[in-house]
PDB file of all heavy atoms in Angstrom:
ATOM      1  N   VAL M1191      -2.187 -19.368   7.543  1.00  0.00           N
ATOM      2  CA  VAL M1191      -2.746 -19.599   8.873  1.00  0.00           C
ATOM      3  C   VAL M1191      -1.594 -19.629   9.862  1.00  0.00           C
ATOM      4  O   VAL M1191      -0.454 -19.948   9.504  1.00  0.00           O
ATOM      5  CB  VAL M1191      -3.560 -20.910   8.934  1.00  0.00           C
ATOM      6  CG1 VAL M1191      -4.795 -20.819   8.050  1.00  0.00           C
ATOM      7  CG2 VAL M1191      -2.714 -22.108   8.540  1.00  0.00           C
ATOM      8  N   GLU M1192      -1.883 -19.306  11.117  1.00  0.00           N
ATOM      9  CA  GLU M1192      -0.826 -19.158  12.119  1.00  0.00           C
ATOM     10  C   GLU M1192       0.015 -20.424  12.286  1.00  0.00           C
ATOM     11  O   GLU M1192       1.222 -20.350  12.517  1.00  0.00           O
ATOM     12  CB  GLU M1192      -1.429 -18.752  13.461  1.00  0.00           C
ATOM     13  CG  GLU M1192      -0.380 -18.335  14.467  1.00  0.00           C
ATOM     14  CD  GLU M1192      -0.982 -17.725  15.716  1.00  0.00           C
ATOM     15  OE1 GLU M1192      -2.179 -17.385  15.724  1.00  0.00           O
ATOM     16  OE2 GLU M1192      -0.228 -17.587  16.688  1.00  0.00           O
ATOM     17  N   GLU M1193      -0.585 -21.588  12.130  1.00  0.00           N
ATOM     18  CA  GLU M1193       0.159 -22.838  12.290  1.00  0.00           C
ATOM     19  C   GLU M1193       1.257 -22.977  11.239  1.00  0.00           C
ATOM     20  O   GLU M1193       2.304 -23.569  11.505  1.00  0.00           O
ATOM     21  CB  GLU M1193      -0.768 -24.056  12.212  1.00  0.00           C
ATOM     22  CG  GLU M1193      -1.782 -24.134  13.331  1.00  0.00           C
ATOM     23  CD  GLU M1193      -2.978 -23.197  13.125  1.00  0.00           C
ATOM     24  OE1 GLU M1193      -3.307 -22.843  11.966  1.00  0.00           O
ATOM     25  OE2 GLU M1193      -3.578 -22.806  14.144  1.00  0.00           O
ATOM     26  N   MET M1194       1.026 -22.470  10.036  1.00  0.00           N
ATOM     27  CA  MET M1194       2.012 -22.597   8.961  1.00  0.00           C
ATOM     28  C   MET M1194       2.791 -21.312   8.716  1.00  0.00           C
ATOM     29  O   MET M1194       3.838 -21.349   8.087  1.00  0.00           O
ATOM     30  CB  MET M1194       1.337 -23.052   7.677  1.00  0.00           C
ATOM     31  CG  MET M1194       0.965 -24.509   7.711  1.00  0.00           C
ATOM     32  SD  MET M1194       0.481 -25.064   6.089  1.00  0.00           S
ATOM     33  CE  MET M1194      -0.927 -26.058   6.534  1.00  0.00           C
ATOM     34  N   VAL M1195       2.264 -20.195   9.178  1.00  0.00           N
ATOM     35  CA  VAL M1195       2.942 -18.902   9.021  1.00  0.00           C
ATOM     36  C   VAL M1195       3.019 -18.260  10.410  1.00  0.00           C
ATOM     37  O   VAL M1195       2.226 -17.374  10.741  1.00  0.00           O
ATOM     38  CB  VAL M1195       2.205 -17.987   8.017  1.00  0.00           C
ATOM     39  CG1 VAL M1195       2.967 -16.692   7.794  1.00  0.00           C
ATOM     40  CG2 VAL M1195       1.978 -18.704   6.688  1.00  0.00           C
ATOM     41  N   PRO M1196       3.967 -18.734  11.236  1.00  0.00           N
ATOM     42  CA  PRO M1196       4.024 -18.247  12.610  1.00  0.00           C
ATOM     43  C   PRO M1196       4.567 -16.830  12.773  1.00  0.00           C
ATOM     44  O   PRO M1196       4.375 -16.222  13.815  1.00  0.00           O
ATOM     45  CB  PRO M1196       4.942 -19.260  13.302  1.00  0.00           C
ATOM     46  CG  PRO M1196       5.788 -19.824  12.210  1.00  0.00           C
ATOM     47  CD  PRO M1196       4.921 -19.810  10.984  1.00  0.00           C
ATOM     48  N   GLU M1197       5.228 -16.288  11.733  1.00  0.00           N
ATOM     49  CA  GLU M1197       5.829 -14.965  11.905  1.00  0.00           C
ATOM     50  C   GLU M1197       5.824 -14.174  10.604  1.00  0.00           C
ATOM     51  O   GLU M1197       6.227 -14.671   9.554  1.00  0.00           O
ATOM     52  CB  GLU M1197       7.275 -15.107  12.393  1.00  0.00           C
ATOM     53  CG  GLU M1197       7.968 -13.793  12.641  1.00  0.00           C
ATOM     54  CD  GLU M1197       9.420 -13.972  13.084  1.00  0.00           C
ATOM     55  OE1 GLU M1197       9.795 -15.068  13.518  1.00  0.00           O
ATOM     56  OE2 GLU M1197      10.164 -12.991  12.964  1.00  0.00           O
ATOM     57  N   VAL M1198       5.362 -12.927  10.695  1.00  0.00           N
ATOM     58  CA  VAL M1198       5.468 -11.953   9.612  1.00  0.00           C
ATOM     59  C   VAL M1198       6.199 -10.755  10.204  1.00  0.00           C
ATOM     60  O   VAL M1198       5.672 -10.074  11.077  1.00  0.00           O
ATOM     61  CB  VAL M1198       4.093 -11.535   9.066  1.00  0.00           C
ATOM     62  CG1 VAL M1198       4.250 -10.468   7.989  1.00  0.00           C
ATOM     63  CG2 VAL M1198       3.331 -12.738   8.522  1.00  0.00           C
ATOM     64  N   ASP M1199       7.426 -10.532   9.744  1.00  0.00           N
ATOM     65  CA  ASP M1199       8.254  -9.436  10.245  1.00  0.00           C
ATOM     66  C   ASP M1199       8.270  -8.331   9.190  1.00  0.00           C
ATOM     67  O   ASP M1199       9.020  -8.387   8.216  1.00  0.00           O
ATOM     68  CB  ASP M1199       9.669  -9.946  10.535  1.00  0.00           C
ATOM     69  CG  ASP M1199      10.566  -8.893  11.170  1.00  0.00           C
ATOM     70  OD1 ASP M1199      10.270  -7.679  11.028  1.00  0.00           O
ATOM     71  OD2 ASP M1199      11.563  -9.285  11.786  1.00  0.00           O
ATOM     72  N   GLU M1200       7.395  -7.335   9.399  1.00  0.00           N
ATOM     73  CA  GLU M1200       7.277  -6.249   8.415  1.00  0.00           C
ATOM     74  C   GLU M1200       8.570  -5.461   8.274  1.00  0.00           C
ATOM     75  O   GLU M1200       8.950  -5.094   7.172  1.00  0.00           O
ATOM     76  CB  GLU M1200       6.146  -5.299   8.812  1.00  0.00           C
ATOM     77  CG  GLU M1200       4.769  -5.880   8.675  1.00  0.00           C
ATOM     78  CD  GLU M1200       3.721  -4.872   9.081  1.00  0.00           C
ATOM     79  OE1 GLU M1200       3.332  -4.062   8.217  1.00  0.00           O
ATOM     80  OE2 GLU M1200       3.299  -4.899  10.257  1.00  0.00           O
ATOM     81  N   GLU M1201       9.217  -5.187   9.386  1.00  0.00           N
ATOM     82  CA  GLU M1201      10.429  -4.375   9.361  1.00  0.00           C
ATOM     83  C   GLU M1201      11.533  -5.057   8.549  1.00  0.00           C
ATOM     84  O   GLU M1201      12.217  -4.421   7.750  1.00  0.00           O
ATOM     85  CB  GLU M1201      10.900  -4.099  10.786  1.00  0.00           C
ATOM     86  CG  GLU M1201      11.904  -2.983  10.870  1.00  0.00           C
ATOM     87  CD  GLU M1201      12.154  -2.573  12.306  1.00  0.00           C
ATOM     88  OE1 GLU M1201      11.178  -2.181  12.992  1.00  0.00           O
ATOM     89  OE2 GLU M1201      13.322  -2.657  12.722  1.00  0.00           O
ATOM     90  N   ALA M1202      11.702  -6.356   8.749  1.00  0.00           N
ATOM     91  CA  ALA M1202      12.740  -7.110   8.028  1.00  0.00           C
ATOM     92  C   ALA M1202      12.245  -7.596   6.662  1.00  0.00           C
ATOM     93  O   ALA M1202      13.025  -8.156   5.894  1.00  0.00           O
ATOM     94  CB  ALA M1202      13.201  -8.304   8.858  1.00  0.00           C
ATOM     95  N   ARG M1203      10.941  -7.379   6.369  1.00  0.00           N
ATOM     96  CA  ARG M1203      10.324  -7.872   5.120  1.00  0.00           C
ATOM     97  C   ARG M1203      10.592  -9.373   4.959  1.00  0.00           C
ATOM     98  O   ARG M1203      11.054  -9.841   3.936  1.00  0.00           O
ATOM     99  CB  ARG M1203      10.800  -7.072   3.913  1.00  0.00           C
ATOM    100  CG  ARG M1203      10.368  -5.604   3.981  1.00  0.00           C
ATOM    101  CD  ARG M1203      10.686  -4.825   2.731  1.00  0.00           C
ATOM    102  NE  ARG M1203      10.305  -5.454   1.495  1.00  0.00           N
ATOM    103  CZ  ARG M1203       9.081  -5.427   0.947  1.00  0.00           C
ATOM    104  NH1 ARG M1203       8.114  -4.820   1.556  1.00  0.00           N
ATOM    105  NH2 ARG M1203       8.846  -6.034  -0.208  1.00  0.00           N
ATOM    106  N   ARG M1204      10.259 -10.114   6.047  1.00  0.00           N
ATOM    107  CA  ARG M1204      10.520 -11.550   6.078  1.00  0.00           C
ATOM    108  C   ARG M1204       9.314 -12.280   6.678  1.00  0.00           C
ATOM    109  O   ARG M1204       8.713 -11.807   7.636  1.00  0.00           O
ATOM    110  CB  ARG M1204      11.755 -11.833   6.919  1.00  0.00           C
ATOM    111  CG  ARG M1204      12.176 -13.296   6.891  1.00  0.00           C
ATOM    112  CD  ARG M1204      13.320 -13.589   7.830  1.00  0.00           C
ATOM    113  NE  ARG M1204      12.780 -13.599   9.187  1.00  0.00           N
ATOM    114  CZ  ARG M1204      13.310 -12.970  10.220  1.00  0.00           C
ATOM    115  NH1 ARG M1204      14.403 -12.270  10.110  1.00  0.00           N
ATOM    116  NH2 ARG M1204      12.743 -13.032  11.415  1.00  0.00           N
ATOM    117  N   ILE M1205       9.001 -13.427   6.091  1.00  0.00           N
ATOM    118  CA  ILE M1205       7.935 -14.288   6.601  1.00  0.00           C
ATOM    119  C   ILE M1205       8.538 -15.646   6.903  1.00  0.00           C
ATOM    120  O   ILE M1205       9.252 -16.223   6.065  1.00  0.00           O
ATOM    121  CB  ILE M1205       6.798 -14.433   5.563  1.00  0.00           C
ATOM    122  CG1 ILE M1205       6.136 -13.067   5.329  1.00  0.00           C
ATOM    123  CG2 ILE M1205       5.784 -15.483   6.007  1.00  0.00           C
ATOM    124  CD1 ILE M1205       5.062 -13.068   4.269  1.00  0.00           C
ATOM    125  N   VAL M1206       8.247 -16.146   8.107  1.00  0.00           N
ATOM    126  CA  VAL M1206       8.679 -17.491   8.492  1.00  0.00           C
ATOM    127  C   VAL M1206       7.508 -18.436   8.250  1.00  0.00           C
ATOM    128  O   VAL M1206       6.382 -18.159   8.681  1.00  0.00           O
ATOM    129  CB  VAL M1206       9.101 -17.537   9.978  1.00  0.00           C
ATOM    130  CG1 VAL M1206       9.450 -18.957  10.391  1.00  0.00           C
ATOM    131  CG2 VAL M1206      10.268 -16.592  10.225  1.00  0.00           C
ATOM    132  N   ILE M1207       7.765 -19.523   7.509  1.00  0.00           N
ATOM    133  CA  ILE M1207       6.735 -20.538   7.313  1.00  0.00           C
ATOM    134  C   ILE M1207       7.207 -21.853   7.919  1.00  0.00           C
ATOM    135  O   ILE M1207       8.401 -22.132   7.975  1.00  0.00           O
ATOM    136  CB  ILE M1207       6.366 -20.734   5.820  1.00  0.00           C
ATOM    137  CG1 ILE M1207       7.542 -21.275   5.016  1.00  0.00           C
ATOM    138  CG2 ILE M1207       5.825 -19.440   5.225  1.00  0.00           C
ATOM    139  CD1 ILE M1207       7.166 -21.725   3.611  1.00  0.00           C
ATOM    140  N   ASP M1208       6.256 -22.636   8.388  1.00  0.00           N
ATOM    141  CA  ASP M1208       6.534 -23.948   8.966  1.00  0.00           C
ATOM    142  C   ASP M1208       5.604 -24.947   8.280  1.00  0.00           C
ATOM    143  O   ASP M1208       4.606 -25.380   8.847  1.00  0.00           O
ATOM    144  CB  ASP M1208       6.304 -23.909  10.476  1.00  0.00           C
ATOM    145  CG  ASP M1208       6.842 -25.141  11.186  1.00  0.00           C
ATOM    146  OD1 ASP M1208       7.519 -25.962  10.530  1.00  0.00           O
ATOM    147  OD2 ASP M1208       6.576 -25.276  12.389  1.00  0.00           O
ATOM    148  N   PRO M1209       5.913 -25.283   7.011  1.00  0.00           N
ATOM    149  CA  PRO M1209       5.001 -26.113   6.226  1.00  0.00           C
ATOM    150  C   PRO M1209       5.075 -27.586   6.625  1.00  0.00           C
ATOM    151  O   PRO M1209       6.094 -28.059   7.124  1.00  0.00           O
ATOM    152  CB  PRO M1209       5.511 -25.921   4.797  1.00  0.00           C
ATOM    153  CG  PRO M1209       6.980 -25.694   4.979  1.00  0.00           C
ATOM    154  CD  PRO M1209       7.110 -24.913   6.262  1.00  0.00           C
ATOM    155  N   PRO M1210       3.990 -28.325   6.371  1.00  0.00           N
ATOM    156  CA  PRO M1210       4.037 -29.765   6.612  1.00  0.00           C
ATOM    157  C   PRO M1210       4.945 -30.428   5.581  1.00  0.00           C
ATOM    158  O   PRO M1210       5.216 -29.853   4.502  1.00  0.00           O
ATOM    159  CB  PRO M1210       2.586 -30.207   6.433  1.00  0.00           C
ATOM    160  CG  PRO M1210       1.988 -29.178   5.532  1.00  0.00           C
ATOM    161  CD  PRO M1210       2.699 -27.897   5.848  1.00  0.00           C
ATOM    162  N   PRO M1211       5.445 -31.618   5.887  1.00  0.00           N
ATOM    163  CA  PRO M1211       6.312 -32.319   4.928  1.00  0.00           C
ATOM    164  C   PRO M1211       5.632 -32.451   3.561  1.00  0.00           C
ATOM    165  O   PRO M1211       4.445 -32.755   3.481  1.00  0.00           O
ATOM    166  CB  PRO M1211       6.518 -33.691   5.568  1.00  0.00           C
ATOM    167  CG  PRO M1211       6.264 -33.473   7.036  1.00  0.00           C
ATOM    168  CD  PRO M1211       5.222 -32.394   7.115  1.00  0.00           C
ATOM    169  N   GLY M1212       6.399 -32.169   2.514  1.00  0.00           N
ATOM    170  CA  GLY M1212       5.916 -32.332   1.138  1.00  0.00           C
ATOM    171  C   GLY M1212       5.296 -31.098   0.521  1.00  0.00           C
ATOM    172  O   GLY M1212       5.180 -31.014  -0.696  1.00  0.00           O
ATOM    173  N   LEU M1213       4.872 -30.112   1.325  1.00  0.00           N
ATOM    174  CA  LEU M1213       4.211 -28.944   0.747  1.00  0.00           C
ATOM    175  C   LEU M1213       5.105 -28.188  -0.215  1.00  0.00           C
ATOM    176  O   LEU M1213       4.679 -27.823  -1.311  1.00  0.00           O
ATOM    177  CB  LEU M1213       3.711 -27.995   1.853  1.00  0.00           C
ATOM    178  CG  LEU M1213       2.986 -26.756   1.318  1.00  0.00           C
ATOM    179  CD1 LEU M1213       1.621 -27.149   0.774  1.00  0.00           C
ATOM    180  CD2 LEU M1213       2.842 -25.703   2.384  1.00  0.00           C
ATOM    181  N   LEU M1214       6.343 -27.975   0.135  1.00  0.00           N
ATOM    182  CA  LEU M1214       7.238 -27.210  -0.725  1.00  0.00           C
ATOM    183  C   LEU M1214       7.614 -27.977  -1.987  1.00  0.00           C
ATOM    184  O   LEU M1214       7.957 -27.368  -3.004  1.00  0.00           O
ATOM    185  CB  LEU M1214       8.508 -26.798   0.032  1.00  0.00           C
ATOM    186  CG  LEU M1214       8.250 -25.863   1.217  1.00  0.00           C
ATOM    187  CD1 LEU M1214       9.562 -25.530   1.905  1.00  0.00           C
ATOM    188  CD2 LEU M1214       7.533 -24.604   0.774  1.00  0.00           C
ATOM    189  N   GLU M1215       7.522 -29.273  -1.965  1.00  0.00           N
ATOM    190  CA  GLU M1215       7.846 -30.069  -3.161  1.00  0.00           C
ATOM    191  C   GLU M1215       6.742 -29.985  -4.218  1.00  0.00           C
ATOM    192  O   GLU M1215       6.954 -30.353  -5.347  1.00  0.00           O
ATOM    193  CB  GLU M1215       8.081 -31.532  -2.794  1.00  0.00           C
ATOM    194  CG  GLU M1215       9.419 -31.774  -2.092  1.00  0.00           C
ATOM    195  CD  GLU M1215       9.419 -31.334  -0.626  1.00  0.00           C
ATOM    196  OE1 GLU M1215       8.373 -31.425   0.048  1.00  0.00           O
ATOM    197  OE2 GLU M1215      10.478 -30.871  -0.168  1.00  0.00           O
ATOM    198  N   LEU M1216       5.563 -29.472  -3.841  1.00  0.00           N
ATOM    199  CA  LEU M1216       4.470 -29.364  -4.800  1.00  0.00           C
ATOM    200  C   LEU M1216       4.805 -28.414  -5.939  1.00  0.00           C
ATOM    201  O   LEU M1216       4.240 -28.516  -7.020  1.00  0.00           O
ATOM    202  CB  LEU M1216       3.188 -28.912  -4.104  1.00  0.00           C
ATOM    203  CG  LEU M1216       2.599 -29.903  -3.110  1.00  0.00           C
ATOM    204  CD1 LEU M1216       1.379 -29.279  -2.417  1.00  0.00           C
ATOM    205  CD2 LEU M1216       2.226 -31.203  -3.785  1.00  0.00           C
ATOM    206  N   GLY M1217       5.724 -27.480  -5.728  1.00  0.00           N
ATOM    207  CA  GLY M1217       6.123 -26.546  -6.765  1.00  0.00           C
ATOM    208  C   GLY M1217       7.121 -27.128  -7.748  1.00  0.00           C
ATOM    209  O   GLY M1217       7.396 -26.540  -8.780  1.00  0.00           O
TER     210      GLY M1217
END
Side-chain angles (χ1 to χ4, degrees):
V1191 294
E1192 191 171 347
E1193 295 79 26
M1194 285 191 222
V1195 184
E1197 182 182 342
V1198 177
D1199 185 339
E1200 290 180 85
E1201 196 170 302
R1203 296 187 48 83
R1204 186 185 75 228
I1205 296 176
V1206 176
I1207 65 169
D1208 192 7
L1213 181 72
L1214 297 179
E1215 286 76 33
L1216 294 176

